[in-house]
Amino acid sequence: SKPAPPLPTKPFEAYRIEADPAAQKDILKRVAVEIDAAVKNGEKLKAWLTLNGRREEIAIGGADEKGLKLSVDGNSLPLKWDKISPEEVFDLLKNIAADKGERLVLAGEMAMALGKADDAISIFAQVRANAPELAAKISGLVERISKAAAAKAVPEKPVTPQ
């Protein structure tokens, strides 16, 4: 098999990728499946979320296509996905990823969908270091960021006054 493309090495500010709301929705479905499986496997997941205007760390008791199931004082409270900002979903993903490769890939994909190319590159570097078996999976994602950056880097022809 051919080697994975190198991770970009230019200053992170050089990388730009457009936010993609459709991709964010697709990622949410996969996040729900991942969270639900983790909770069913006995993992104790927590996330910082804004509830009633206050940001607090809350235990997650599960998830589905509608939203998260939060565990607050022994009660299960639903929190719909549309009540959670995409940035909070990204933070949640980073929080539950630890060094788990697939979850890190999801976090990187969410970073891309939010237009955060530098965060995505940083996360994919972590994936490559911690889960080399996922290198092929992330190489296509890294390539998309590089192509988006290259397209943005092509200078437009200067307009000369007549």
Side-chain angles (χ1 to χ4, degrees), residues 7-18:
L7 286 169
T9 55
K10 293 180 203 159
F12 286 155
E13 293 74 38
Y15 294 98
R16 297 282 179 264
I17 191 163
E18 295 300 316

Side-chain angles (χ1 to χ4, degrees), residues 106-119:
L106 261 178
E109 287 184 72
M110 188 60 162
M112 288 175 66
L114 289 170
K116 298 174 180 261
D118 52 349
D119 286 330

Side-chain angles (χ1 to χ4, degrees), residues 7-8 12 15-17 90 94 104-128 138 141-142 144-146:
L7 286 169
F12 286 155
Y15 294 98
R16 297 282 179 264
I17 191 163
F90 177 53
K94 290 189 299 185
L104 279 171
V105 171
L106 261 178
E109 287 184 72
M110 188 60 162
M112 288 175 66
L114 289 170
K116 298 174 180 261
D118 52 349
D119 286 330
I121 289 169
S122 172
I123 290 167
F124 293 144
Q126 261 186 289
V127 173
R128 195 168 276 171
I138 63 167
L141 298 168
V142 170
R144 273 182 36 210
I145 294 171
S146 297

Side-chain angles (χ1 to χ4, degrees), residues 72-126:
V72 179
D73 298 327
N75 298 311
S76 180
L77 299 174
L79 181 62
K80 291 186 176 174
W81 287 118
D82 62 4
K83 301 288 184 213
I84 307 169
S85 76
E87 278 75 18
E88 282 186 315
V89 173
F90 177 53
D91 287 344
L92 167 116
L93 274 168
K94 290 189 299 185
N95 201 31
I96 68 167
D99 61 353
K100 297 204 173 21
E102 289 289 347
R103 291 184 198 169
L104 279 171
V105 171
L106 261 178
E109 287 184 72
M110 188 60 162
M112 288 175 66
L114 289 170
K116 298 174 180 261
D118 52 349
D119 286 330
I121 289 169
S122 172
I123 290 167
F124 293 144
Q126 261 186 289

